[in-house]
Amino acid sequence: LVLDRDSFDMLLGPLKEIIKASEQNGNRAAAKGSGVLPGGIQDGSKVKILRKDLSRIGLLGCGGFGTVELWEHKKTGDTYAMKGLSKGYIVK
């Protein structure tokens, strides 16, 4: 996956501003938001996203170890890439 500077700036904003906001608030998630999702379970500083709260959009890629699929959070609209590994590779 390649993202040029213009696309990065358009989607996330200038990197200098992200780093500055992160340093001011003392964490990496500060520039993006609080990180708390409705319907998610908060476990310390991490938020667990339940699979039932996601809807599958499509297949991004397929390889020897498994697949990568694009999923969307039903309540927030955030998108995630979920990697599914073949059971045979996990057991080994």
Side-chain angles (χ1 to χ4, degrees), residues 6-77:
D6 292 333
S7 298
F8 184 92
D9 289 345
M10 184 179 70
L11 292 171
L12 302 172
L15 184 58
K16 288 182 182 181
E17 290 180 15
I18 295 170
I19 293 171
K20 183 178 177 181
S22 175
E23 290 171 352
Q24 288 176 348
N25 294 326
N27 62 20
R28 298 177 80 192
K32 188 83 171 153
S34 66
V36 177
L37 295 174
I41 300 171
Q42 189 166 3
D43 179 22
S45 63
K46 298 181 182 177
V47 175
K48 292 186 181 179
I49 299 170
L50 305 177
R51 191 169 186 158
K52 69 180 182 179
D53 294 334
L54 300 173
S55 60
R56 184 177 180 270
I57 297 174
L59 181 69
L60 293 176
C62 184
F65 294 103
T67 61
V68 179
E69 297 174 323
L70 184 63
W71 292 75
E72 180 179 28
H73 194 268
K74 293 176 184 175
K75 295 178 183 174
T76 64

